[in-house]
Amino acid sequence: MKKLKVMLVFGTRPEAIKMAPLILELKKRAAEFETVVTVTAQHREMLDQVLAVFEITPDYDLDVMQPNQTITTITTNVMNRLEEVIQAEKPDIILVHGDTTTTFAASLAAFYNKTAIGHVEAGLRTWNKYSPYPEEMNRQLTDVLSDLYFAPTLQSKENLLQENHPVDQVYVTGNTAIDALKQTVAQDYQHDILEKVDFSKKVILVTMHRRENQGKPMEQVFKAMKDVVNKHPDTEIIYPVHLSPTVQKLAHAAFDGIERVHLIAPLDVVDFHNLAARCHFIMSDSGGVQEEAPSLGKPVLVLRDTTERPEGIAAGTLKLVGTEYENVKQEMTVLLEDETQYQQMAQAKNPYGDGQASRRILDAIAYHFGQLADRPQDFS
Ligand code: UD1
Ligand code: UDP
């Protein structure tokens, strides 16, 4: 049987974390698949951290990142540089992930070169064009162009069907984030970063980076955090700050010199997952963190007005708190002072996967190309 040539294209930290389990699975199934890894390097250092952890050496590196890059420059550079690779490799299918500008630009380049597209983490929606921005339109546009849809949950499948995508091309696979988490979190994990943290205090882990939160929303959230931490001597904030210069500037302006707020460099994914597993609660506007926290039983105050991850809200682990000063302050106070409410959110539930998403995705590809007799069963 001819091997199927699968090219993965990704460029940012979260795409790399969620594509890594697929690459490892592809390598295990080398008799069935030939793998080509192309990174756009929309992120440089934060991508390389993930590649190092999972020992992935890309076949192609488009090296597009520029300081303070715009969505337009990322798009044009990815499209210009990717076309040559697609034409040289002629893959049977290109896999893209999620909703970044790399995702959309790579999908458009694949379409222009008449190459099949598989969208990993398809079907997430807020139905709000500008929230999150530009991710909502990146994923909708990617889904318009895709041939195979790997929806992480039944809800995301339903979103796709609502847009009339063909049901036989939609597979419910679970999220590969859970495949990754199964490899990173360990009870006996030890590392300098964990030894430096005072876990006798209530440790709040923070990430915040979204474009639509840069400016006033971040300023309000950071002020609320500062005021709550000052009022609660038993708390510590640990905030690995995204390398975006805008985020760096806002975070340091707000927190430099503030006792018990620790701004640190982005953690590699193993350290971050193990810290998340040991903290008291999380505050974040990240997408991936919302998928990971329910498995870890860690409450998340979601620093956004909308979420495309309603399953975590239904599970009770996530609470959408927005970015207004008063509300953020109040919700932090509830989690610190009301043990009953804290415990209600801290139940470990995992609506996002069973660690088998990568296997299902590869089975679906093999089935689609006629190399596997049976359609893989959906994750439920
Ligand atoms: C991007 C994605 C967003 C995703 C996020 C994950 C788009 C438009 N946005 O946003 O969906 O949630 O990644 O983190 O696709 N930088 C570095 N080193 C790095 C990474 C970034 O220096 O390793 C700096 C660069 O100056 C870069 C800036 O951060 O210009 C912003 O990066 P960019 O990818 O444009 O936006 P993100 O906010 O990271
Ligand atoms: N993460 C990490 N190190 C950090 C902060 C986050 O490895 O210092 C991981 C986190 O576990 C999750 C992913 O990065 O898997 C989320 O990435 P990010 O917040 O950059 O993007 P988003 O998910 O919002 O697109």
Side-chain angles (χ1 to χ4, degrees), residues 13-14 17-18 43 46 49 99-100 207 209-210 240 242 265-270 272-273 284-289 292 309:
R13 170 173 67 190
I17 292 170
K18 296 189 222 175
H43 285 172
M46 286 159 58
Q49 271 185 322
D99 54 21
T100 70
T207 80
H209 68 84
R210 304 222 80 80
H242 191 292
L267 292 171
D268 85 34
V269 60
V270 181
F272 186 83
H273 283 174
S284 181
D285 64 0
S286 155
V289 171
E292 295 159 354
R309 281 139 173 122

Side-chain angles (χ1 to χ4, degrees), residues 198-212:
D198 180 0
F199 285 104
S200 69
K201 294 218 168 71
K202 290 181 171 167
V203 173
I204 305 170
L205 179 60
V206 171
T207 80
M208 194 169 188
H209 68 84
R210 304 222 80 80
R211 271 178 160 75
E212 68 273 19

Side-chain angles (χ1 to χ4, degrees), residues 7-13 15-16 19 36-45 47-48 51 58-66 69 73-83 85-86 94-97 100-107 109:
M7 182 156 99
L8 305 96
V9 184
F10 55 94
T12 65
R13 170 173 67 190
E15 295 166 83
M19 286 296 225
V36 181
V37 176
T38 301
V39 296
T40 65
Q42 174 177 334
H43 285 172
R44 184 71 275 167
E45 298 84 354
L47 171 75
D48 291 346
L51 297 177
D59 299 289
Y60 296 91
D61 188 331
L62 308 183
D63 202 21
V64 303
M65 195 190 89
Q66 295 167 356
Q69 60 202 356
T73 57
I74 304 166
T75 307
T76 50
N77 286 333
V78 168
M79 290 195 67
N80 279 329
R81 296 179 200 182
L82 185 57
E83 179 151 272
V85 179
I86 297 174
I94 290 182
L95 298 185
V96 295
H97 179 278
T100 70
T101 294
T102 284
T103 315
F104 171 58
S107 305

